[in-house]
Amino acid sequence: MSEGTLSVVGIGPGDGAHATPAALAAIREAEVVVGYRTYIQLVRHLLDGKEVVQTGMTEEIGRARSAVERARAGARVVLVSSGDAGVYGMAGLVFEVLRDIGWKRGDSPELRLIPGITAASSCASRVGAPLVHDSCTISLSDLLTPWATIARRIEAAAAADFVISLYNPASGRRTRQIVEAQSIIRRYREGTTPVALVKGAYREGEKVALTDLDHLLDYEIGMLTTVIVGSSQTFMFEGYMVTPRGYTRKYTFDGDVLPGQRPGRSLVVAEEG
């Protein structure tokens, strides 16, 4: 029996121009393509002549097991995720399935992990440069994680002044989480803090809104929306949302070093009186 391969592929935001050549090549070379039906539709133009296994929401374990089993049987299998499969995607579940069946390195199937552009990056590119300094991502879905844990993470990120990308902020049955998230963040941020809401980046029906922390709930927010909340340093410029890296704390725009600072050395911060 020939050794199968299982490629776990991130297809990016879903627009072909933003999928990597490696991801597209893996799909073209596959015999079997497994995925959530919405993501399968995004790559349907690559699927002629292939066996396609598509399932619905909440059937992730079945998809992962099916992909592993077909690959163990000798097929060239691709399991697709949107964004990057290793960021809120299927890669982690594949490893759990492999661990459950006792798979070891060198066993069939050969495992290949192919990265893609994750939602935070694609959405950020639609609104400016909000992720230039330290940032984090937090999913507001409590289907698999207790809300108390999520709330602690939001509070920690807000207190530490991270730019925060909120994934899965709301759905038809989950509406309170984004309200509570806003309330938590407002304890640490001004109401004028810039906020971006991007739905379906680079897909048909894309919607982009720029607002502030006080008014983010005035907009439609659903499962396909990513909410990017700025830090205390984030600003708006010509319709773009920007978080500075901090160069002007050390240099002038002529490239001169500010008094008391040294290139290549730690930033010197004056003590507050």
Side-chain angles (χ1 to χ4, degrees), residues 26-94:
I27 296 171
R28 290 191 184 100
E29 294 167 5
E31 298 169 316
V32 182
V33 178
V34 182
Y36 173 49
R37 61 174 59 97
T38 298
Y39 306 150
I40 290 291
Q41 287 302 305
L42 293 173
V43 296
R44 62 186 180 276
H45 57 290
L46 302 173
L47 303 181
D48 287 348
K50 304 182 189 304
E51 179 184 349
V52 177
V53 179
Q54 55 182 324
T55 59
M57 189 71 72
T58 75
E59 298 179 64
E60 291 84 359
I61 292 177
R63 286 200 293 277
R65 294 196 69 89
S66 178
V68 168
E69 288 166 2
R70 293 306 308 276
R72 288 183 82 194
R76 296 191 303 274
V77 179
V78 160
L79 177 60
V80 296
S81 279
S82 67
D84 185 314
V87 181
Y88 299 115
M90 292 292 293
L93 185 53
V94 165

Side-chain angles (χ1 to χ4, degrees), residues 76-158:
R76 296 191 303 274
V77 179
V78 160
L79 177 60
V80 296
S81 279
S82 67
D84 185 314
V87 181
Y88 299 115
M90 292 292 293
L93 185 53
V94 165
F95 279 108
E96 291 185 75
V97 170
L98 290 171
R99 182 176 63 176
D100 182 63
I101 65 173
W103 179 88
K104 304 293 183 185
R105 281 182 181 258
D107 291 351
S108 182
E110 177 188 349
L111 188 62
R112 302 172 182 173
L113 304 169
I114 301 175
I117 300 172
T118 191
S121 297
S122 58
C123 293
S125 74
R126 282 312 208 194
V127 299
L131 305 182
V132 170
H133 212 322
D134 295 337
S135 67
C136 68
T137 58
I138 301 174
S139 171
L140 296 193
S141 174
D142 60 359
L143 297 180
L144 301 174
T145 305
W147 175 251
T149 299
I150 297 170
R152 286 198 302 272
R153 291 171 179 170
I154 297 168
E155 181 136 22

Side-chain angles (χ1 to χ4, degrees), residues 149-212:
T149 299
I150 297 170
R152 286 198 302 272
R153 291 171 179 170
I154 297 168
E155 181 136 22
D161 203 24
F162 283 104
V163 176
I164 307 171
S165 296
L166 299 174
Y167 284 39
N168 308 314
S171 70
R173 287 178 289 187
R174 290 190 305 102
T175 57
R176 66 175 178 83
Q177 287 84 351
I178 186 62
V179 177
E180 293 188 28
Q182 181 208 37
S183 177
I184 293 168
I185 298 170
R186 286 176 69 180
R187 299 173 196 162
Y188 302 92
R189 309 277 165 92
E190 297 291 337
T192 55
T193 300
V195 172
L197 301 99
V198 183
K199 177 184 177 181
Y202 296 98
R203 298 182 190 175
E204 184 178 351
E206 173 190 274
K207 292 183 180 180
V208 177
L210 287 165
T211 183
D212 59 30

